[in-house]
Amino acid sequence: MNQLKGEAMQVWGCLRAGIGAVLLALMVGCGSEETESIEPVVVNKSPNDNRSYAAVTLDNGLKVLMVSDSETEKSAAALSVGVGAFSDPMDFQGMAHYLEHMLFMGSESFPEPDGYMNFAAENGGSSNAYTSSEITNYMITIENQAFPEALHRLSEFFSAPILDPDYIQKEKNAVNAEWSMRRESEGRSIYRLQRELLGEHPANRFTIGNLETLADKETRQLHPATVEFFEQYYSANLMALVLISPLPVAEMEALASQYFALIPNKETDKPTVTTELDFSKVAGKLIRFKPQRDLREMRISYIIDNNQAEWRSKPGDYLGYVIGSEMPGAPADKLKSLGLISELYTSSYESLYGNYGTFEVSVQLTPQGMKRREEIYDVVTGYIELLRREGVDDRYVEEYRQSLQNRFTFLEKTDDFSYASSLAAAMQDYPIENVIDAPYRFDGFNQEAVDTLLSQLVAERSNVWFISQEEPTDKELQFYVAPHSVEEWLPRDTSAALALVDRLGLTLPSQNALLPERFDIKSPPQVATAVEVADNVTFWLKGSENFEGLPKGFTRIQINTPKAFNDVDSFVYLALWESLYNLKQARLATEASVAGMSLSMSAGSGVSLTMSGFTDKQPELLSRALAGLRVEATELELGQAVERYLRSIENAKRAFPYTRLSPLLGLLTREGQFTDSALALSAAKATLTNLEAFIDATLSESHLRGFFFGNYDEADVISTYERMAKVVNASPSAGYARADVYDPQPGATYLLNRDVPVEDLGMLYAFAAPEASVKNRALSRILARHLRVRAFETLRTEEQLGYAAGGGSLDLYQHPMVIFYIQTPVKGPQDMLDRFNQYTIEYREELADLSQDSFEKFKAGVLTSLTEPPKNLSSEAGPFASDWAIENYDFDSRDELITAVESATLDDVRAFFDSTVFSEERSRLVIQLRGKRFADEAFATLDGGVVVDDIDQFHSEMAVQAK
């Protein structure tokens, strides 16, 4: 589900189906009647956007934005309602979210509670919804030919929902499972605690809901209260609908009128928050928060007046651009150089609490910084006071405007599902003509708006957060794991803070030197071409076939070494190198980001430098990036990198169990993966001398390779190598080293068991196909389209075993696997594995009953996902990069898969499932994460199953797939 403004907006959605760590879902929509005449051009769109837009307001007051895209192979729709969790009745907190769930449970024409999900899945679609503070948003994407019926089904969720009381308990359980899964999340706990501090303000709601808050009360019951809430707020005049399809806008207007005309206009006033805050009661606090993970953060959170009306001049973003800068002269640069922080960032949420918002400065602290938090506070607040006294002028206006304008001018498409959702949300906040350009609009520097905001960044409007496991606490937060304390923040000496800022030499940050100046279009080859830049060094070059006029490109340079897989020490030194490099180059990466580029280094089979974005200044960016590649660290900096690394190992254990299943599958099946204890032991003994020696050896003994996709020519490729050669002495003989991957063997069953410091059980049950082949990979994808829906419906919706639950497929390198996964608070390990085994039998019967017509629809959905034109340069480059990574220089993996899918039959899919899951020679893997709730229960076992206790030994003995 989507999240708006990160964890702070705390969005909850109806996760309705899927596979892997996070899976897809269901959805809804809304309607209207007769319409005004279509305006031919309604919105300010990017010059790079060739789609046609038009908008109408239906007679019932529902606003409709239509996007005609002749190239799209799937249609999408989203409907937002201008009501959210801030309107929950106090006796049924979580009502808006619960109603969102209930609307999926059938309508008058389509009464089946699972009918919408099945319809979407059969027609290559997906759906979802989320509830935020002031809107609820419903989204769907579907095959083009099914778009009219999808709109019919969507509209009836609003014009004729059943709201069947028979499903009250089931959906209450679903909401409760969603809350239970997230109750240990620090982000959600902090946001909830922020709002609790607001006292009687409407933002102080438990907005997700659970069985307690949604229980029937003595004075009234949940169901009539839900109907009342729906009748009060689900009015056409509070709704905004977005339609995206290849249809002409006139035909979409007709569909909107046909299906959404029946939604009544109750002339409901849009809910607005007007409650005033008493800052003497809600601000001036020090909140000590003890997180579940080992975090070290200080946060200064200012409560500001809602200034969303100033979106054309963006005072919060502009001020954050200055205060949060990584450039010389700013607090982040100086505090990092002193070894006190590893990161500083600002965020401006203009309407987080309705009539109020927040402006926050957050710093990630080093161990040294933990001892000097008050001093860091003085640096930040003293800098803000300096800006308030001396003023923030317009010196950054041109680079800020150019940065936004460049992004808008060459704005690329996103997937239509997300695009429809974002537009529907934007229609609640901006004039229809600005729903696209509002985030990029900057009409000029507004001195008054900036000064007004600065005047609100004062201690009297702020709360200070100390977030670490060292904090003394004396309170708990209802419904969340959030030990904390609240005390008065003692005022600091402003004069002393200003003097400190002066001693540190803080000034307005320097300006950006990487903004592109030219947007020339090169003429790269359309066919992937090998460029032999040196002996044993080949770079690959390919131009875009879909975005030839886009002055952007994607480059990856890999310094490849087998050391990455050979021993744990090399693995750790690569990780520390990555950490130190990215920290030291944060200023450069930020400067590049503002200029419309990205820069990062990642460790894997060696180290990779990745750049993307506008190509004009990429050569300069690369030169500056390479200058710091041979990291020169101090003992203090290495110690801090090791400390961050050790904390990351421990913190990963507290992630949602279902998100850890895939990484642990990698740990079990990939060479060069090591246990947490081995990594921690190696990191603890790392030395600066050994790190420097490792870096030197890697830069002089490794295999160098790279690829360029987009707006480059051969001269760019050669020039890049010449820059690289000044830093990297590529080996003339080393080959490309890749990790070995487990080759599932007939009859083999392995289990990897881990205890985790969270409550729930996480489990992955994987069956390997009898052989690794393109045909089996194709069959697994078709099967997954059906399996993920049915497994989700049974395990999550019907049986309420867990909020994250389902089935699908994944590829273990070239070997496809059928999988089942769950995070559950209600079943222990053996019970859950037994239920999975029983469900495979039930699903076998469902697959036997699958009709040929339904199969063809599922198959068509897979083909559409493989053949639809890419929405942007990144998605176009993806298949090329994947083939490059595995040395498939024919670059034909996707074409082969398409051919295999086209030839697949229903009998093939049934036979594939049987041979994979029910053969006597079946090959299985089980990952179990046993949460604290089940600590007294044994891990599950399987007949013939072998528990892997020694990962290194397993890797040394395992059969491996051919490369």
Side-chain angles (χ1 to χ4, degrees):
M1 86 195 102
N2 297 337
Q3 290 209 339
L4 302 182
K5 299 200 181 217
E7 285 286 348
M9 282 303 292
Q10 196 163 358
V11 174
W12 305 278
C14 275
L15 189 61
R16 301 286 173 187
I19 134 181
V22 187
L23 288 278
L24 288 177
L26 284 160
M27 168 147 180
V28 278
C30 182
S32 118
E33 245 179 3
E34 296 181 6
T35 64
E36 302 170 358
S37 60
I38 293 181
E39 300 289 340
V41 179
V42 210
V43 297
N44 299 327
K45 66 175 185 175
S46 166
N48 199 45
D49 189 347
N50 60 4
R51 293 169 289 195
S52 298
Y53 294 78
V56 294
T57 299
L58 305 177
D59 281 355
N60 61 355
L62 190 149
K63 296 178 291 184
V64 186
L65 174 63
M66 294 153 290
V67 186
S68 179
D69 183 355
S70 61
E71 298 176 354
T72 190
E73 295 193 10
K74 283 188 181 180
S75 298
L79 186 142
S80 64
V81 187
V83 65
F86 285 178
S87 297
D88 285 347
M90 289 303 294
D91 54 346
F92 289 111
Q93 294 180 57
M95 169 69 77
H97 180 215
Y98 168 73
L99 175 59
E100 171 216 308
H101 276 247
M102 284 296 292
L103 289 177
F104 286 97
M105 294 293 102
S107 64
E108 289 182 4
S109 300
F110 308 100
E112 303 86 357
D114 61 350
Y116 193 73
M117 180 173 66
N118 289 335
F119 166 78
E122 284 189 7
N123 289 279
S126 59
S127 56
N128 207 343
Y130 68 76
T131 301
S132 66
S133 56
E134 296 184 284
I135 70 167
T136 309
N137 205 349
Y138 303 81
M139 309 80 71
I140 185 170
T141 183
I142 203 80
E143 296 280 2
N144 290 331
Q145 73 275 7
F147 193 44
E149 184 176 346
L151 295 181
H152 187 189
R153 289 175 176 268
L154 183 64
S155 65
E156 282 213 359
F157 278 67
F158 302 95
S159 61
I162 294 177
L163 295 176
D164 190 341
D166 289 344
Y167 290 96
I168 289 176
Q169 192 59 45
K170 181 175 292 184
E171 290 312 303
K172 280 168 58 178
N173 287 339
V175 169
N176 190 76
E178 194 172 344
W179 158 74
S180 178
M181 187 177 74
R182 294 174 174 146
R183 61 185 295 270
E184 295 179 277
S185 164
E186 289 99 356
R188 294 176 184 275
S189 297
I190 289 172
Y191 180 48
R192 178 70 192 96
L193 182 52
Q194 279 182 308
R195 290 179 288 115
E196 185 175 80
L197 294 172
L198 301 180
E200 298 301 315
H201 192 273
N204 184 10
R205 297 281 199 281
F206 172 57
T207 47
I208 192 169
N210 62 14
L211 290 177
E212 179 178 335
T213 64
L214 296 172
D216 289 338
K217 306 301 187 294
E218 290 185 4
T219 54
R220 62 172 178 164
Q221 295 184 321
L222 175 64
H223 185 64
T226 304
V227 173
E228 179 184 339
F229 188 91
F230 175 84
E231 293 295 338
Q232 179 178 359
Y233 292 115
Y234 273 59
S235 174
N237 69 301
L238 297 185
M239 296 178 178
L241 173 68
V242 174
L243 305 179
I244 303 175
S245 85
L247 296 173
V249 291
E251 292 186 33
M252 280 190 278
E253 179 192 12
L255 287 172
S257 180
Q258 177 182 356
Y259 292 118
F260 294 85
L262 297 179
I263 298 176
N265 182 0
K266 303 159 189 174
E267 299 184 353
T268 302
D269 292 333
K270 187 171 183 176
T272 57
V273 178
T274 59
T275 304
E276 299 265 332
L277 290 175
D278 183 345
F279 291 106
S280 67
K281 295 180 179 179
V282 304
K285 311 295 183 187
L286 169 62
I287 301 97
R288 297 182 182 272
F289 182 88
K290 186 174 183 178
Q292 297 299 295
R293 293 178 296 158
D294 189 2
L295 305 178
R296 293 171 181 171
E297 179 181 354
M298 183 182 73
R299 185 179 301 183
I300 308 170
S301 181
Y302 296 96
I303 303 173
I304 62 174
D305 296 342
N306 183 329
N307 62 12
Q308 192 171 31
E310 304 293 341
W311 59 269
R312 292 176 178 84
S313 62
K314 298 177 172 51
D317 292 345
Y318 187 85
L319 198 54
Y321 186 81
V322 177
I323 296 172
S325 174
E326 296 273 353
M327 302 295 281
D333 182 65
K334 178 56 68 173
L335 291 170
K336 284 183 178 181
S337 70
L338 294 173
L340 300 181
I341 71 170
S342 60
E343 187 176 4
L344 182 151
Y345 56 90
T346 62
S347 52
S348 178
Y349 304 144
E350 296 85 358
S351 58
L352 187 62
Y353 305 139
N355 56 335
Y356 294 96
T358 61
F359 184 96
E360 294 189 340
V361 182
S362 298
V363 291
Q364 305 301 314
L365 302 163
T366 65
Q368 291 70 27
M370 281 289 294
K371 302 171 184 177
R372 298 168 64 178
R373 290 186 292 195
E374 288 81 4
E375 184 179 347
I376 295 170
Y377 173 89
D378 286 345
V379 171
V380 173
T381 58
Y383 188 71
I384 292 174
E385 181 63 26
L386 177 70
L387 298 180
R388 186 163 36 246
R389 295 188 181 191
E390 297 189 359
V392 175
D393 57 28
D394 61 358
R395 73 182 65 186
Y396 305 102
V397 163
E398 285 309 312
E399 68 178 59
Y400 186 61
R401 178 190 288 117
Q402 185 183 345
S403 174
L404 293 177
Q405 184 60 45
N406 289 345
R407 294 169 191 269
F408 182 68
T409 299
F410 298 101
L411 190 63
E412 297 183 73
K413 291 181 180 179
T414 59
D415 67 278
D416 290 333
F417 185 84
S418 301
Y419 192 50
S421 171
S422 64
L423 289 177
M427 289 171 71
Q428 296 288 346
D429 294 327
Y430 303 110
I432 189 69
E433 62 268 22
N434 299 116
V435 291
I436 298 174
D437 76 340
Y440 310 95
R441 184 79 172 265
F442 185 63
D443 289 356
F445 180 70
N446 186 331
Q447 186 75 63
E448 181 180 358
V450 170
D451 289 346
T452 297
L453 179 56
L454 269 173
S455 71
Q456 297 168 12
L457 304 188
V458 292
E460 293 78 13
R461 277 178 170 248
S462 72
N463 287 315
V464 181
W465 293 71
F466 286 175
I467 301 170
S468 79
Q469 292 187 333
E470 302 172 13
E471 303 307 316
T473 64
D474 57 12
K475 294 182 176 65
E476 287 292 342
L477 181 65
Q478 187 181 28
F479 303 136
Y480 286 96
V481 178
H484 67 279
S485 65
V486 180
E487 57 195 79
E488 295 300 315
W489 173 254
L490 298 178
R492 305 284 294 174
D493 187 335
T494 302
S495 298
L498 281 169
L500 176 59
V501 166
D502 183 62
R503 286 198 305 274
L504 294 175
L506 297 187
T507 62
L508 286 171
S510 58
Q511 293 173 280
N512 196 300
L514 289 176
L515 288 164
E517 298 171 5
R518 300 173 62 90
F519 302 99
D520 298 339
I521 302 300
K522 308 286 182 72
S523 299
Q526 294 297 297
V527 176
T529 302
V531 182
E532 306 289 343
V533 293
D535 184 27
N536 199 37
V537 181
T538 301
F539 288 173
W540 285 85
L541 170 64
K542 187 181 186 306
S544 170
E545 298 176 28
N546 298 275
F547 309 102
E548 301 96 330
L550 192 67
K552 294 183 178 182
F554 184 91
T555 295
R556 175 163 294 152
I557 307 297
Q558 190 173 46
I559 305 168
N560 172 254
T561 173
K563 295 177 182 178
F565 320 121
N566 290 346
D567 64 88
V568 66
D569 290 343
S570 294
F571 185 96
V572 168
Y573 278 124
L574 281 168
L576 295 176
W577 187 5
E578 173 191 350
S579 175
L580 286 164
Y581 178 86
N582 286 329
L583 181 64
K584 285 178 171 290
Q585 299 302 319
R587 178 199 304 172
L588 179 60
T590 301
E591 188 177 357
S593 176
V594 171
M597 297 181 289
S598 67
L599 167 71
S600 66
M601 181 227 252
S602 59
S605 55
V607 294
S608 296
L609 280 176
T610 303
M611 298 186 302
S612 64
F614 293 113
T615 52
D616 178 42
K617 294 291 183 69
Q618 281 191 22
E620 180 179 342
L621 175 61
L622 178 62
S623 293
R624 293 172 61 182
L626 290 173
L629 188 58
R630 194 182 298 273
V631 170
E632 297 179 358
T634 64
E635 292 285 358
L636 175 63
E637 289 170 335
L638 175 61
Q640 291 177 347
V642 168
E643 187 268 340
R644 290 193 300 272
Y645 186 68
L646 293 174
R647 282 196 293 133
S648 71
I649 292 173
E650 291 303 311
N651 288 340
K653 298 174 183 177
R654 294 189 174 277
F656 293 143
Y658 78 96
T659 67
R660 297 195 62 210
L661 296 172
S662 180
L664 286 173
L665 180 65
L667 169 68
L668 177 63
T669 60
R670 294 185 68 86
E671 177 194 25
Q673 300 290 306
F674 304 95
T675 63
D676 291 344
S677 58
L679 294 172
L681 182 63
S682 175
K685 65 180 184 179
T687 68
L688 190 57
T689 299
N690 288 343
L691 173 63
E692 291 171 346
F694 178 83
I695 293 174
D696 287 342
T698 303
L699 294 179
S700 60
E701 302 170 358
S702 299
H703 179 63
L704 185 64
R705 62 197 302 264
F707 77 80
F708 299 72
F709 189 94
N711 189 44
Y712 307 101
D713 56 25
E714 189 167 327
D716 294 321
V717 175
I718 295 172
S719 175
T720 297
Y721 172 72
E722 291 172 347
R723 287 180 169 84
M724 293 294 303
K726 296 176 182 179
V727 180
V728 181
N729 183 22
S731 168
S733 58
Y736 177 38
R738 288 194 281 142
D740 286 330
V741 180
Y742 170 63
D743 186 20
Q745 298 297 292
T749 296
Y750 294 104
L751 301 95
L752 182 66
N753 303 330
R754 291 288 187 270
D755 283 308
V756 290
V758 295
E759 293 295 324
D760 294 351
L761 169 75
M763 182 174 286
L764 175 70
Y765 193 18
F767 298 80
E771 64 178 7
S773 67
V774 176
K775 178 180 180 181
N776 280 344
R777 291 202 300 275
L779 295 174
S780 73
R781 280 162 173 75
I782 300 172
L783 176 75
R785 285 271 173 170
H786 182 250
L787 173 58
R788 71 187 185 192
V789 177
R790 300 313 313 144
F792 185 90
E793 176 64 22
T794 300
L795 302 175
R796 188 278 193 192
T797 305
E798 292 297 328
E799 298 182 14
Q800 299 288 315
L801 297 184
Y803 186 70
S809 70
L810 59 79
D811 289 340
L812 189 64
Y813 183 40
Q814 303 286 20
H815 207 124
M817 306 189 82
V818 175
I819 66 166
F820 301 89
Y821 68 91
I822 197 164
Q823 177 177 330
T824 175
V826 297
K827 278 190 177 293
Q830 192 64 56
D831 285 346
M832 192 62 245
L833 191 56
D834 291 344
R835 181 64 191 102
F836 275 151
N837 277 319
Q838 177 59 35
Y839 180 71
T840 62
I841 299 172
E842 297 167 16
Y843 178 71
R844 189 184 202 180
E845 296 174 357
E846 292 186 83
L847 190 59
D849 293 337
L850 183 66
S851 69
Q852 184 65 37
D853 180 61
S854 293
F855 168 76
E856 293 298 337
K857 290 179 179 179
F858 284 113
K859 175 178 169 179
V862 174
L863 282 172
T864 297
S865 67
L866 291 170
T867 61
E868 61 184 341
K871 297 293 184 183
N872 48 56
L873 190 68
S874 177
S875 60
E876 184 185 10
F880 172 75
S882 297
D883 275 342
W884 174 82
I886 61 172
E887 299 178 281
N888 176 20
Y889 297 133
D890 291 328
F891 299 100
D892 59 356
S893 293
R894 185 170 60 173
D895 291 339
E896 288 185 344
L897 189 59
I898 291 170
T899 300
V901 171
E902 289 174 337
S903 64
T905 67
L906 178 54
D907 286 341
D908 289 337
V909 172
R910 289 169 175 157
F912 169 78
F913 184 73
D914 276 357
S915 62
T916 299
V917 177
F918 292 102
S919 167
E920 292 184 2
E921 294 296 299
R922 63 188 175 181
S923 178
R924 298 174 292 181
L925 297 173
V926 179
I927 309 294
Q928 303 183 75
L929 296 176
R930 184 173 61 184
K932 293 184 292 184
R933 185 179 285 115
F934 306 103
D936 295 335
E937 298 190 32
F939 283 107
T941 60
L942 286 169
D943 290 342
V946 176
V947 176
V948 177
D949 292 319
D950 189 327
I951 292 291
D952 290 339
Q953 182 179 349
F954 179 75
H955 287 170
S956 68
E957 298 174 353
M958 70 182 183
V960 298
Q961 298 183 43
K963 296 178 183 176

